[in-house]
Amino acid sequence: MAGQSFSGIRRIYAAFFNSLAGFRAAWDHEEAFRQECLLCLVGVPLGLWLGQTGIERALLAGVLLNVLVVELLNSALEATVDRIGYERHTLSGRAKDIGSAAVFLALALAAMVWLLVLIR
């Protein structure tokens, strides 16, 4: 938050709880985030089990976690655009579409990595 002057361990402590609040907000307000969390709940353990090497395990789990990262950024972008105003504007629509495209690419990357690793 603006105006906070925490330093050291207090800053890390505050950042941790701000992050938890962000996860909670995404879970409460973003259906896509909930769906992707469920995908990770199944996919990450499965990727850790199916991977033959450490690199394969990291790739299979990492690309799924990357989807969550991109979804969180997209959700933050959409919330910011909505905060500015709900009226239709070309730039607002473009920003939301670009964020959606980023999520799509993250999902496509995940699918490609899973296919390439598992078909060997």
Side-chain angles (χ1 to χ4, degrees), residues 3-70:
Q4 287 184 346
S5 59
F6 296 138
S7 62
I9 196 74
R10 283 189 70 196
R11 186 190 60 77
I12 294 169
Y13 184 80
F16 173 76
F17 283 101
N18 288 338
S19 297
L20 288 180
F23 282 121
R24 180 63 180 197
W27 181 267
D28 288 346
H29 300 285
E30 300 295 332
E31 184 176 359
F33 181 75
R34 290 190 298 271
Q35 292 169 343
E36 292 155 355
C37 281
L38 296 176
L39 172 67
C40 284
L41 187 65
V42 172
V44 169
L46 189 61
L48 295 174
W49 181 64
L50 291 174
Q52 297 287 318
T53 66
I55 291 174
E56 287 183 355
R57 290 183 191 106
L59 283 170
L60 293 172
V63 292
L64 295 178
L65 294 174
N66 182 59
V67 169
L68 290 181
V69 170
V70 176

